[in-house]
Amino acid sequence: ETVATRGACDMAKPLVSHPTLWSECRIEERSRRVQDRARKELLLEDVAETHVVDVAVTSYNANGRTPPEDLDLSQLFEGTANADVHVVGFQEIVPLNPGNVLADSMGNYRGDDSSTRHAKAWEKLIEKHLNGRRDVDGNAYYNVCNRQMVGVYLSVWAKETFRECISDVHTASVGVGVMGYMGNKGAVAGRMRIHHSPICFICVHLSSGGGEVDHQRRNIDAAEVFRRLEFPGLTGSLEPSMSSTDHHSVLFFGDLNYRVSLKEEVLMQLVEQKRWSELFHGDQLSMELQLGTVYTEEWQEGTISFPPTYKFLRGSDTYVGTFKDTSSQKKIRFPAWCDRILWQGQNLLQRSYQASLLNMSDHRPVVASFDWTTHQIDKQKVQALLDGIQRTLDMEDMSRVPTCTLDPLELDLGEVRYGSTCTVPLHLTNVGNVSAYFQLFTFHDTEGFDPYLPKWVVITPPFGVLEPEEQCDISVKCTLRGGADGNAMQAYQGNGIVQKLLVLKIEGGRDFFITLQLKYVEMLSLGLDLECAKAINCKTIPGSEVDVVDFMDIGYARACEGLEAMLEAEGSTMSHTLPHGLQLFCKRSIPRQVLSLLEFLASDGANQEGLFSTCMHQEILDQRIITKQTVISIVSGLDRGVPLGPRTDPREVAEALIAIFLALPYPFFPKVLADIFADGPTCPSALDVVAQVQEALSMTKWSTLCVLVLTLRKMLSFALASENGLSHEILGTIFAQALFGIETATRNNRLASLVSLLLQDECWGPKDIDVD
C-alpha cells in the first residue's frame, strides 16, 4: 500500500467521517435538512485538496544523562533528517530523584534549575542538527512547541515553509506516577493542525517492572492518559474541548516499559542466540494490541525488525541481562522492547521503523517516519456545494408541492339588477406531480380568511381534490340581494359597485386571490337601511311626464289622511294627538315606500282573508321572499312613484312589507334589544317595555314602528280579525322574524311574545305617538 492509494481511499469517504474537517466546513450553520443531505452525499474529495507531509518521530529514554555539547545527533535522526516535521520525545531527561519529581509535579518548570538546563541542552543540539543542513536544502526549522513534565519532554519542529499552514497549537500533560498524579510517570502531548487536519503527539513514560502487577499498572497508566489528556476545541468547532483520541491522527510513543513474558531461562537463551522474532512472541504490548482492551483496534504498530531497545550497559552494545553481575545487588533487567511508537489514523502511513545506534543511555532510541496525508478545505467550494444541496432540496420540495393554474383571476359580472343572478366559471388545472386539495374562502382585510361564503355567492364545488393533469370547472354564482348577508347595501355605499375578494387555497401550495365585481343598475330601496331608502327618488318615471316628487307628495298626503281616518274609526285613545302631528312626522321620517304599503294594507287589505298567510311559508325562513319577483315589482314601482293600484293583491303587498324588513342590512331591532328580552320582558310594566324599545331605536325606526303598530292593530280589531283570520300570536311570530331577524327569532321564541305585547293598546300612551 502506498500513500497515494491510501489517500485515494480516504478521499472517497464521506466528509462526515472526518469530524474535525466536517466542523471546519461550518455545515452546522445550515438548516437541518441541508446537514442531513450533506452527511449522505458530501465526500472528502468534493471539498478538500490533499497534501502529504513527511513526519518523523523519535523517542529516547536519556537515562537522566546530560548530553555533551559535541554530541552528534545524526544517529538520533537517522533516515529522517529531511522530514517536514520532527517530533522528538524524551523520557528521563533528568534523573527521577525526589527533588526533581517534587520540583513541579505538573511539568511547569521555571528558572534556571537542572531540569530546564537538561531540556535546553537537548533543544540546542536538536536545533544545531536540524538547521546545520540549511546550506544543503535551503530549509530552516523552527520550534513549534515544547512541553516538559519532570523527565518527560516533547519538542516539535517544522520547516519554515509550513509556518503559515500550522495552527491550533496546544500542549498538555498528565501525571500518573506517585499517588496516580505525580509527574515521575505520565505523558506530555502536543496538538496542532497542518492545513485543516489535526494531529496529536503523545510522549509517554509508563510504569516500570517485569512482574505481572507491573504489566497491569502500565495498562492502567495508558488508560489514564487517554482518559485525562484534553485540549481546547479546535478553532471554529462547536466542541469546547477535545480528548487526544478525538483527533483524526494520533502518535503515541515513548518508554512504554512493556516487557517480555517468558521464563527466565528461555528468555536468556533466545537473547544469547539473538533469536529476536521468537523472543518477540512474548512481547506484552503486542499481546495488548491483539487483546484490544486498553489499546483499541484503531491503534497500530509497524513491524519490529530490530533487537530489544532495553537494557544496555551504557556506552556499549551489551545487554545487562546477558551476564551475572556479582558485584551488584540490583535486580537483573532482561532485554525488552520498551521503546515503541504506535499510531492511529487512516491518513498515517508508516514508511520506516527502526532503532538507533546512539548508546549514551541504557536505552536505544526508536525512530519512525510517516507519510501523513493532510486536507485543506476549499471553503468556497463547500459553500457552493451546500448551495447546490439547498437548490436540490428546494426543487424536490417544489416537485412535492401541489402546483395549479387558475383562470381567470378577475371576475366581472357586468350590470346586475336586484334579484337577478349571474354565473361565471373558473378553470382550475393541476399542472403539478401530486394531488391538489383546494377550497374557496372569502377574505376580509381585518379578519383574514373566512371559510363561510356570503349567501349572495354560491360556489360549486367549494372544495375538492384534483389529481395531476386533471381540470375542474368551478361555478361562481352571484345574486344581488338584500339582507344581513346580502350585497345591496354594499353596492349603495360603493356607488353601485360591489367588490369581493375570494381566495382559492391549495393545501401546501400557493393561494390564488380572485377579484369579484358587479355593477348594480336600477337600484331599489329594497335591501337598504331605512335612512338610505328615503333617498331613493328618481326625478322622472321612464315613459311618463308626471313629476315624481309632486306625485309622491300626493301619495304621502293620501297615506297620512288614510291613517287618521283609520284611527278615528277605531276609536283609539291616541287619536286626539294624531291628526296634525303624525302627518308632518311621516313626511319627515318614514320611508315613502313603507308608508305607502302600510296605507294600502290599512285601507284596502285589512279585511283580506289570509292576508299574511304566505309569509308563514318556508320562503320566509330561507329569505327567498326578499328576491321574489312580485315583491321586486311592487318596491320598484313605489321607488319610481307608481302608486299601488286597486287590483293589487293585498297578500303581495303584505309580502313586500315583510320583505323590506327582512332585506335590511341589519335587523330592525338592534341586537341589544334581543339580548335584553332574551329571557322575556324584564320591565315592571308594558309601558316600560315601549319606553325601552323607543330608547334603542333611531327616530326613523321609531316613527316606522309607530305607524306599523297602528296598522297591525287595526287588522286585529274584532270586526276585521274575523275576516282576515289574524291574531296577536300570528302577527307576533311573523313580525318577530321580520324585525329581529329570522335566526334570532327562531333561537328565542319569547321574542314573538314581546312583539305581541307591543300590539296591545295599553302599551301606548299619548306621549308615545305625539310626534309633532
Side-chain angles (χ1 to χ4, degrees):
E1 186 180 29
T2 65
V3 67
T5 57
R6 177 173 288 190
C9 294
D10 197 46
M11 292 292 283
K13 291 183 178 180
L15 177 62
V16 72
S17 66
H18 302 260
T20 55
L21 298 178
W22 173 271
S23 178
E24 182 66 29
C25 293
R26 307 183 73 83
I27 296 175
E28 288 80 2
E29 296 178 358
R30 297 300 186 107
S31 69
R32 177 62 62 183
R33 295 180 63 213
V34 171
Q35 293 180 47
D36 292 342
R37 182 63 63 87
R39 286 187 177 91
K40 296 177 183 178
E41 296 183 358
L42 280 190
L43 303 179
L44 185 58
E45 62 185 359
D46 296 331
V47 299
E49 296 179 0
T50 60
H51 304 269
V52 178
V53 180
D54 185 352
V55 178
V57 180
T58 300
S59 176
Y60 188 31
N61 186 318
N63 195 219
R65 308 266 295 179
T66 303
E69 294 182 359
D70 59 350
L71 181 64
D72 183 5
L73 295 187
S74 59
Q75 292 179 321
L76 196 64
F77 295 98
E78 187 174 354
T80 64
N82 199 41
D84 298 318
V85 177
H86 280 283
V87 183
V88 185
F90 293 95
Q91 306 83 43
E92 295 188 44
I93 198 173
V94 296
L96 299 183
N97 55 52
N100 285 329
V101 172
L102 294 174
D104 189 343
S105 61
M106 298 307 295
N108 298 320
Y109 289 94
R110 300 177 180 87
D112 190 25
D113 55 30
S114 61
S115 299
T116 58
R117 285 198 301 271
H118 281 72
K120 289 178 180 179
W122 282 108
E123 288 292 334
K124 185 176 180 180
L125 288 172
I126 293 171
E127 196 277 336
K128 178 181 177 181
H129 176 78
L130 293 178
N131 288 332
R133 303 177 64 254
R134 274 188 295 176
D135 294 337
V136 178
D137 55 23
N139 282 317
Y141 289 86
Y142 77 100
N143 187 215
V144 178
C145 63
N146 299 314
R147 183 75 177 219
Q148 182 178 2
M149 182 182 68
V150 190
V152 187
Y153 183 67
L154 176 70
S155 184
V156 180
W157 297 74
K159 289 180 178 179
E160 281 286 354
T161 52
F162 281 83
R163 188 184 288 269
E164 297 298 323
C165 305
I166 294 177
S167 62
D168 277 305
V169 179
H170 289 92
T171 61
S173 61
V174 174
V176 296
V178 178
M179 296 184 295
Y181 281 89
M182 300 296 281
N184 59 307
K185 292 293 188 289
V188 294
R191 186 277 302 282
M192 68 180 185
R193 281 207 292 187
I194 295 185
H195 304 122
H196 291 119
S197 297
I199 191 168
C200 181
F201 310 111
I202 308 173
C203 177
V204 297
H205 192 189
L206 305 183
S207 296
S208 61
E212 181 58 30
V213 173
D214 301 320
H215 178 185
Q216 295 306 320
R217 181 61 201 174
R218 286 187 281 274
N219 287 341
I220 294 172
D221 289 349
E224 278 295 286
V225 168
F226 294 142
R227 184 180 70 86
R228 289 163 49 195
L229 193 59
E230 190 174 83
F231 295 92
L234 295 170
T235 302
S237 172
L238 298 178
E239 299 298 330
S241 63
M242 292 179 68
S243 70
S244 58
T245 52
D246 286 337
H247 296 76
H248 199 56
S249 303
V250 186
L251 289 159
F252 185 82
F253 56 93
D255 182 2
L256 276 61
N257 255 324
Y258 284 97
R259 307 304 170 89
V260 177
S261 295
L262 292 175
K263 292 183 179 181
E264 182 177 330
E265 59 272 15
V266 175
L267 190 153
M268 291 295 294
Q269 181 182 2
L270 294 175
V271 170
E272 289 174 359
Q273 298 174 4
K274 296 183 179 181
R275 293 158 60 183
W276 308 127
S277 60
E278 295 178 52
L279 181 67
F280 192 72
H281 290 163
D283 178 66
Q284 294 175 348
L285 180 57
S286 297
M287 297 176 186
E288 291 298 333
L289 287 170
Q290 291 178 2
L291 189 61
T293 303
V294 177
Y295 303 94
T296 56
E297 61 181 9
E298 292 85 3
W299 288 106
Q300 304 177 64
E301 184 181 23
T303 302
I304 291 181
S305 58
F306 49 86
T309 60
Y310 174 80
K311 174 180 184 175
F312 291 90
L313 289 174
R314 286 197 299 266
S316 74
D317 295 330
T318 303
Y319 289 107
V320 171
T322 58
F323 67 93
K324 298 286 185 178
D325 185 1
T326 57
S327 64
S328 174
Q329 298 301 315
K330 292 182 179 180
K331 185 177 180 180
I332 296 177
R333 303 292 188 182
F334 293 106
W337 286 271
C338 292
D339 306 279
R340 310 290 276 270
I341 299 175
L342 309 181
W343 82 89
Q344 66 172 332
Q346 292 298 314
N347 53 348
L348 280 169
L349 182 64
Q350 191 179 69
R351 296 199 319 270
S352 65
Y353 190 22
Q354 60 190 359
S356 171
L357 298 178
L358 187 64
N359 61 7
M360 65 169 283
S361 168
D362 58 354
H363 286 255
R364 291 288 187 266
V366 289
V367 183
S369 61
F370 296 87
D371 282 333
W372 177 38
T373 302
T374 64
H375 303 98
Q376 187 169 10
I377 300 296
D378 186 335
K379 295 187 178 181
Q380 289 185 343
K381 186 179 290 186
V382 171
Q383 296 307 314
L385 289 170
L386 294 178
D387 290 342
I389 289 175
Q390 184 66 67
R391 286 192 296 270
T392 300
L393 291 173
D394 291 342
M395 292 178 64
E396 291 176 359
D397 289 343
M398 289 299 295
S399 68
R400 293 190 292 267
V401 170
T403 305
C404 297
T405 60
L406 182 67
D407 182 64
L409 295 178
E410 295 182 357
L411 302 179
D412 190 349
L413 283 72
E415 296 182 347
V416 182
R417 293 174 175 79
Y418 187 94
S420 60
T421 298
C422 295
T423 303
V424 291
L426 288 172
H427 306 292
L428 180 64
T429 305
N430 186 349
V431 297
N433 301 316
V434 295
S435 301
Y437 298 83
F438 69 90
Q439 183 174 2
L440 276 137
F441 296 80
T442 55
F443 184 81
H444 305 285
D445 293 337
T446 56
E447 301 176 8
F449 298 108
D450 185 355
Y452 300 100
L453 296 170
K455 291 183 179 179
W456 62 272
V457 179
V458 178
I459 296 177
T460 309
F463 56 85
V465 182
L466 278 185
E467 298 303 325
E469 299 183 4
E470 187 177 357
Q471 180 176 332
C472 175
D473 289 335
I474 301 173
S475 169
V476 180
K477 181 168 69 174
C478 300
T479 302
L480 210 158
R481 51 168 287 169
D485 204 17
N487 54 357
M489 190 64 189
Q490 180 185 349
Y492 178 84
Q493 294 171 335
N495 295 321
I497 302 298
V498 176
Q499 289 185 329
K500 193 69 178 177
L501 187 60
L502 305 178
V503 182
L504 188 143
K505 292 183 69 67
I506 306 294
E507 185 177 323
R510 64 165 289 191
D511 297 337
F512 293 94
F513 289 84
I514 307 158
T515 302
L516 178 66
Q517 178 174 300
L518 57 86
K519 184 177 182 180
Y520 187 5
V521 294
E522 298 183 15
M523 190 175 295
L524 302 181
S525 60
L526 191 61
L528 308 185
D529 65 31
L530 297 181
E531 297 293 343
C532 297
K534 293 191 296 182
I536 299 296
N537 285 318
C538 301
K539 286 300 178 183
T540 58
I541 302 173
S544 173
E545 299 299 329
V546 180
D547 184 74
V548 177
V549 176
D550 293 342
F551 188 90
M552 293 185 73
D553 284 341
I554 296 172
Y556 259 97
R558 180 187 172 197
C560 292
E561 291 171 359
L563 286 170
E564 292 169 11
M566 172 192 73
L567 292 170
E568 290 175 0
E570 185 187 24
S572 171
T573 58
M574 301 181 291
S575 59
H576 64 280
T577 65
L578 284 175
H580 180 67
L582 182 59
Q583 181 176 352
L584 295 176
F585 182 78
C586 289
K587 286 191 175 183
R588 288 197 299 262
S589 301
I590 304 176
R592 299 178 178 183
Q593 301 87 337
V594 176
L595 190 61
S596 297
L597 293 174
L598 292 173
E599 186 274 338
F600 181 89
L601 292 175
S603 58
D604 299 334
N607 60 349
Q608 173 67 48
E609 183 181 357
L611 182 60
F612 285 97
S613 60
T614 58
C615 299
M616 299 289 288
H617 296 164
Q618 184 65 30
E619 62 184 9
I620 278 193
L621 297 179
D622 59 20
Q623 297 193 26
R624 279 181 294 166
I625 192 172
I626 65 176
T627 57
K628 195 171 183 180
Q629 192 55 50
T630 54
V631 169
I632 294 173
S633 297
I634 290 174
V635 174
S636 176
L638 294 175
D639 286 346
R640 292 181 291 114
V642 178
L644 297 172
R647 295 186 179 182
T648 303
D649 189 341
R651 288 171 297 185
E652 293 179 353
V653 175
E655 288 179 350
L657 179 65
I658 296 297
I660 284 179
F661 289 114
L662 287 176
L664 291 174
Y666 304 101
F668 183 88
F669 282 150
K671 186 176 183 300
V672 63
L673 272 181
D675 294 338
I676 290 174
F677 298 109
D679 298 323
T682 58
C683 303
S685 67
L687 290 176
D688 288 334
V689 173
V690 174
Q692 207 156 359
V693 170
Q694 182 179 6
E695 183 178 350
L697 297 181
S698 66
M699 185 64 70
T700 297
K701 285 187 176 181
W702 174 246
S703 304
T704 303
L705 179 64
C706 289
V707 178
L708 173 64
V709 168
L710 293 174
T711 304
L712 296 180
R713 283 177 53 200
K714 177 181 180 181
M715 297 175 185
L716 290 172
S717 64
F718 178 79
L720 294 176
S722 61
E723 298 181 26
N724 57 37
L726 296 176
S727 66
H728 286 83
E729 291 75 16
I730 292 175
L731 291 181
T733 300
I734 293 173
F735 280 93
Q737 294 175 349
L739 300 178
F740 281 102
I742 293 174
E743 183 178 348
T744 301
T746 303
R747 191 169 56 246
N748 185 2
N749 294 329
R750 297 191 179 187
L751 295 178
S753 300
L754 175 65
V755 175
S756 298
L757 182 62
L758 290 175
L759 299 179
Q760 302 294 327
D761 181 62
E762 60 270 18
C763 288
W764 303 85
K767 64 180 180 63
D768 299 313
I769 45 79
D770 189 3
V771 293
D772 190 8

